[in-house]
């Protein structure tokens, strides 16, 4: 189309042209993610249509088209437009699309799939990536992101779509008239928030400290603003202060370099507000509200950002202790974590007689285990988490849920506050009891074709050059999950 022609004609850098066209934007096990723009290796309406056509063909081949697909989107550039492109391609394939009228979080999308008994879900988001990115995540009927078997089937169906021009797109008015495009109302919001509130463990404590306990919250310009504030208010928190500069949706994420709660710089404005108001806790959610970070006061009164592992360990202890106090701790209960997550949580769970299971990196593998537990009855899921700030209590969603995690982090902080402790004090108490665990994370950004080749070179190097020492420490064992 004319807009695409103009954008491409304006490019003079040969490397830029190569990066846009050296491959097709791959539909992988996590769907699509890439820089927005014209080109086969970019997020645009054509690559979104192709992915959706492949998904539609896979659904129809399994005779599940009548159940429909639910679609949500976040505050990023083109998110709403991509969501509607997907809906109209589904409509052209005779598959009903349920689309939220405005931005919604990833965990609510996960919840809505099962609430509406849909066969699949699409979430348009690039999570915490910079503003120039967008993405397209596919969920299956259990509410979890597609795992390997389904992903391979959809990838195969997408690969069969050879011509962008052959993909039919239904007219929006026709789709609405034929009942193939249905807009979702507040019913889903109410049901989702009710499910989240069921995970509250010590609601009575909140009312005792609500007049004094102060929380600063930043949604980092994303979807968390409404659901997190709503659930905190409904369970009794009175003093939740939202960072005004980061409250409203902003596709440019103009106050941060990365809208990522793993990045300490994302909390700069929140910490300034917390100092001004003498807040006891800071929480921040990423744009699609599936991940949350926490900031607490240390022993010197300085605000420090907890790592995902530290918050996860605190939540494991809090959830298990809360369930035990109420005689609700299942004898066959299980905690699930990813292989790259600290083992402190496992040590805590062992103290409560609860097993911890490891899965590959990616919350979809935790969701896969929840489905397995429901089908076999061998275990009861209690809590799942990963070091990259993703947590889930309950089975209302099948992906990490920053709404329920925000509620539990605030409730946990209020509980310790009632005992004259901060979350920092509580963390030190865990270390004293279970031993000290140290971890650090270094993020390296390598973009484009050259970046991808460098990553491959690094991985090949570590697989073929066996490390015998790291510094002065002898390496005892190496595990390679590829083999």
């Amino acid at each position: 189309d004319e807009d695409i022609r103009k954008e491409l004609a304006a490019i003079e850098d040969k490397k830029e042209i190569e990066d846009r066209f050296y491959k097709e934007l791959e539909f992988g096990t996590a769907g699509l993610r890439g820089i927005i723009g014209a080109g086969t290796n970019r997020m645009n309406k054509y690559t979104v249509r192709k992915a959706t056509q492949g998904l539609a063909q896979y659904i129809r081949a399994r005779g599940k088209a009548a159940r429909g697909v639910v679609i949500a989107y976040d505050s990023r550039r083109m998110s709403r437009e991509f969501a509607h492109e997907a809906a109209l391609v589904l409509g052209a394939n005779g598959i009903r699309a349920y689309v939220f009228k405005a931005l919604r979080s990833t965990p609510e999308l996960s919840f809505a799939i099962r609430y509406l008994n849909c066969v699949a879900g699409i979430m348009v988001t690039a999570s915490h990536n910079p503003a120039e990115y967008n993405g397209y995540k596919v969920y299956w009927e259990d509410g979890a992101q597609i795992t390997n078997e389904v992903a391979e089937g959809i990838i195969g169906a997408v690969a069969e779509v050879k011509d962008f021009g052959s993909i039919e797109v239904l007219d929006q008015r026709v789709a609405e008239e034929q009942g193939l495009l249905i807009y979702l109302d507040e019913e889903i919001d109410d049901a989702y928030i009710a499910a989240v509130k069921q995970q509250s463990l010590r609601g009575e404590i909140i009312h005792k400290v609500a007049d004094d306990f102060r929380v600063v919250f930043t949604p980092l310009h994303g979807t968390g603003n409404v659901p997190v504030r709503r659930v905190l208010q409904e369970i009794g928190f009175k003093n939740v202060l939202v960072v005004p500069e980061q409250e409203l949706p902003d596709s440019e994420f103009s106050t941060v370099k990365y809208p990522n709660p793993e990045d300490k710089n994302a909390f700069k404005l929140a910490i300034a507000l917390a100092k001004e108001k003498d807040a006891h806790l800071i929480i921040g959610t990423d744009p699609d509200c599936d991940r949350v970070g926490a900031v607490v006061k240390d022993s010197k009164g300085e605000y420090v950002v907890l790592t995902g592992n530290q918050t996860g360990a605190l939540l494991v202890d809090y959830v298990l202790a809360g369930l035990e106090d109420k005689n609700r701790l299942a004898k066959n209960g299980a905690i699930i974590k990813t292989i790259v997550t600290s083992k402190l949580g496992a040590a805590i769970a062992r103290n409560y007689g609860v097993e911890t299971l490891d899965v590959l990196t990616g919350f979809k593998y935790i969701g896969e285990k929840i489905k397995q537990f429901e089908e076999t009855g061998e275990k009861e899921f209690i809590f799942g988490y990963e070091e990259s700030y993703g947590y889930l209590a309950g089975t209302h969603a099948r992906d990490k849920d920053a709404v329920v995690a925000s509620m539990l982090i605030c409730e946990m902080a209020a509980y310790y506050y009632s005992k004259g402790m901060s979350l920092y004090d509580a963390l030190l108490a865990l270390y004293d009891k279970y031993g000290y665990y140290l971890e650090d994370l270094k993020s390296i950004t390598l973009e484009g074709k050259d970046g991808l080749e460098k990553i491959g070179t690094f991985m090949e190097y570590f697989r073929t050059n066996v490390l015998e020492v790291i510094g002065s420490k002898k390496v005892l064992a190496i595990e390679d999950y590829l083999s």
Side-chain angles (χ1 to χ4, degrees), residues 329-334 377-382:
L329 186 56
K331 289 181 180 178
N332 65 337
E378 61 181 297
K379 299 281 181 190
E380 184 172 319
F381 173 78
I382 298 174

Side-chain angles (χ1 to χ4, degrees), residues 6-115:
K6 285 178 181 176
E7 182 178 338
L8 293 176
I11 303 170
E12 297 178 354
D13 182 356
K14 288 186 177 181
K15 251 195 156 4
E16 169 78 1
I17 295 170
E18 181 187 29
D19 191 56
R20 286 174 180 248
F21 286 96
Y22 83 95
K23 65 171 186 174
E24 294 205 358
L25 187 65
E26 291 173 16
F27 188 98
T29 56
L32 300 173
R33 184 175 295 180
I35 295 170
I36 301 164
T40 57
N41 188 33
R42 289 289 185 268
M43 277 292 295
N44 53 60
K45 66 181 181 181
Y46 298 103
T47 51
V48 167
R49 286 174 182 175
K50 180 174 179 176
T52 310
Q53 182 60 37
L55 173 63
Q57 288 172 192
Y58 181 82
I59 290 169
R60 289 172 62 183
R62 270 138 199 83
K64 297 186 176 185
R67 289 172 58 188
V69 175
V70 60
I71 303 174
Y73 55 92
D74 69 3
S75 56
R76 288 183 171 273
R77 299 176 194 169
M78 300 298 292
S79 283
R80 186 177 185 278
E81 290 85 346
F82 290 158
H84 282 83
E85 287 287 347
L88 297 176
V89 171
L90 289 170
N93 283 272
I95 300 171
R96 184 181 298 110
Y98 298 90
V99 183
F100 284 99
K101 287 182 180 177
L103 69 173
R104 290 295 191 280
S105 69
T106 288
E108 184 167 345
L109 178 276
S110 173
F111 171 84
I113 293 166
R114 290 165 60 244
Y115 184 84

Side-chain angles (χ1 to χ4, degrees), residues 439-455:
E439 85 280 333
D440 195 17
L441 181 68
K442 172 74 175 174
S443 294
I444 301 169
T445 302
L446 297 163
E447 294 183 335
K449 184 182 179 185
D450 291 346
L452 193 64
E453 288 172 355
K454 282 181 183 176
I455 291 168

